[in-house]
Amino acid sequence: MSYPLIVKDDFFSDPDFISKLSKEFDYSISNKIYPGVRSQCFSKVNNKLFWYIGNRIFSLIHDNLPTYYHMKIAFQKIHPFVQDDKWNKKNLGWIHKDNCVFGGVIYLDKNPDKDAGTAIFKLKDGFDMQIDESEFVKRKLYSGEEVDDKEYNNAYNIIRDRYEETLRVPNVYNRLVLIPGDQTHAMITIGDKERNTIVFFCNQVNVT
């Protein structure tokens, strides 16, 4: 089935407990395709938390829980790449698809920068493709390498200029945003301080 875009406020009954728990995890997983660092998947380090969140997500959609699902759920934190300029392109998210059944984010900052939310996009011309040169520059930044501002801005604009923003979801504490896997989207900006979230990606689900 095709999943809808969902925005759900007050997702956790006790978000302060989840926020406190996030500070106890080890953040050692990084990847050139996304900014910041993530914890291990909850299924590997806290199975109870994994099933609690996964089942709550599916309860928003189905009357009965799936007979099986494969999902990755983890904490993520991102520091601004450029301080005191949240609209610097190095602090903006790159438009992409998650290429899964659905993905999403749960915001965990109690006093967030509301601009550090999520935006939805559509193509201007209908031709969806990745540009290798832009991807290379993005991965340089996310891997911690120095990137020339002009080079980065040009690479970012090549992708950004091909899309039109259609929806903007502000960052609100304890808000879940579920995004279909084929929906183009991006983090609006990291914001003016550390951005803390739970990210999740569902790769397979069996529903009877």
Side-chain angles (χ1 to χ4, degrees):
M1 66 173 289
S2 177
Y3 284 87
L5 175 70
I6 296 174
V7 177
K8 170 63 177 174
D9 285 346
D10 302 319
F11 179 75
F12 292 116
S13 58
D14 188 356
D16 290 352
F17 172 78
I18 302 297
S19 180
K20 180 180 178 182
L21 190 64
S22 71
K23 295 173 175 56
E24 300 174 4
F25 274 59
D26 174 56
Y27 292 78
S28 58
I29 299 176
S30 60
N31 193 304
K32 295 178 182 180
I33 65 172
Y34 60 77
V37 289
R38 293 177 180 173
S39 70
Q40 283 191 300
C41 178
F42 294 165
S43 63
K44 297 181 178 180
V45 291
N46 191 323
N47 211 38
K48 184 177 180 180
L49 181 63
F50 172 82
W51 288 111
Y52 171 69
I53 294 175
N55 289 349
R56 282 187 70 84
I57 291 171
F58 277 107
S59 70
L60 300 174
I61 309 163
H62 299 289
D63 292 332
N64 298 308
L65 293 176
T67 55
Y68 169 82
Y69 60 83
H70 180 270
M71 191 182 302
K72 295 181 179 179
I73 310 174
F75 291 117
Q76 181 172 2
K77 59 182 176 182
I78 312 171
H79 290 279
F81 290 96
V82 178
Q83 297 296 323
D84 303 319
D85 183 6
K86 67 181 178 182
W87 299 116
N88 186 292
K89 286 186 170 63
K90 289 181 179 178
N91 288 333
L92 305 184
W94 285 70
I95 299 171
H96 66 284
K97 296 179 181 178
D98 289 329
N99 293 315
C100 53
V101 179
F102 63 77
V105 62
I106 307 169
Y107 303 123
L108 291 182
D109 289 315
K110 210 164 191 178
N111 297 295
D113 182 330
K114 292 188 181 300
D115 290 321
T118 303
I120 303 298
F121 296 86
K122 70 174 183 179
L123 279 164
K124 293 178 180 178
D125 60 12
F127 294 100
D128 185 18
M129 60 183 180
Q130 294 297 314
I131 309 299
D132 289 342
E133 292 82 359
S134 291
E135 184 71 14
F136 173 75
V137 172
K138 179 187 76 171
R139 292 185 179 215
K140 278 180 66 177
L141 179 72
Y142 289 176
S143 64
E145 297 181 43
E146 288 290 331
V147 183
D148 176 75
D149 286 348
K150 184 177 180 180
E151 178 188 17
Y152 191 88
N153 291 347
N154 287 339
Y156 183 89
N157 289 337
I158 288 172
I159 302 298
R160 179 64 180 84
D161 291 347
R162 300 178 64 245
Y163 291 88
E164 175 186 351
E165 183 178 324
T166 60
L167 178 68
R168 184 168 287 206
V169 183
N171 185 324
V172 174
Y173 183 52
N174 199 26
R175 168 177 285 174
L176 171 142
V177 184
L178 185 148
I179 304 168
D182 60 353
Q183 175 66 64
T184 48
H185 63 282
M187 173 182 65
I188 300 168
T189 172
I190 299 169
D192 53 17
K193 51 192 170 184
E194 183 179 272
R195 182 181 189 263
N196 294 276
T197 61
I198 290 173
V199 292
F200 56 89
F201 306 94
C202 180
N203 296 301
Q204 185 180 353
V205 55
N206 296 337
V207 181
T208 57

